[in-house]
Amino acid sequence: MELNIEGRTAGNSLVLELDGNLVMGDSNAKLRKSVRDSIEAGYKDIVLEMSDVDYVDSSGVGELISSLTAVNRADGSFVLLTPTDKAHKLLAISQLTDIFDIRYQH
């Protein structure tokens, strides 16, 4: 399933709503471009809304780390909002839950 990304502002943050799979190939490139373009446009605080991300592979995890690094270099904040259970388990197995700011909306 292709990754679709819709952006919206929420206060001083840019929320990127992800829908689909975050896997090697076009979806990673799309996320990379969206995050980098957002930083270049002046957004430092970026939220990835992940409740509609069905699957994340190891390449997708790598892109999340790369995005986090890019935002940190811009002195911003990077939040993973409401990742699915599968995505959260993958981050936990990879011992990455401590490096990401993971939040849940109810």
Side-chain angles (χ1 to χ4, degrees):
M1 176 181 213
E2 181 180 331
L3 182 70
N4 295 306
I5 302 174
E6 295 289 327
R8 65 177 170 81
T9 57
N12 294 329
S13 299
L14 180 67
V15 178
L16 298 175
E17 297 176 346
L18 310 183
D19 183 9
N21 296 327
L22 185 53
V23 295
M24 182 183 291
D26 290 341
S27 66
N28 279 350
K30 189 180 283 189
L31 177 59
R32 182 179 312 113
K33 181 172 177 12
S34 294
V35 170
R36 300 321 186 270
D37 288 352
S38 300
I39 293 168
E40 287 179 20
Y43 292 101
K44 289 187 174 185
D45 301 324
I46 298 177
V47 177
L48 296 187
E49 204 292 322
M50 299 183 63
S51 64
D52 291 325
V53 174
D54 300 316
Y55 180 73
V56 180
D57 69 5
S58 59
S59 176
V61 170
E63 190 54 47
L64 291 174
I65 294 169
S66 177
S67 294
L68 171 66
T69 302
V71 172
N72 284 345
R73 284 187 181 143
D75 293 322
S77 65
F78 188 72
V79 174
L80 302 181
L81 183 63
T82 318
T84 60
D85 287 340
K86 286 180 183 180
H88 190 269
K89 285 178 185 174
L90 180 59
L91 292 171
I93 289 169
S94 304
Q95 299 182 351
L96 296 171
T97 53
D98 289 342
I99 70 163
F100 287 106
D101 182 356
I102 301 172
R103 302 180 191 178
Y104 289 90
Q105 286 183 334
H106 299 285

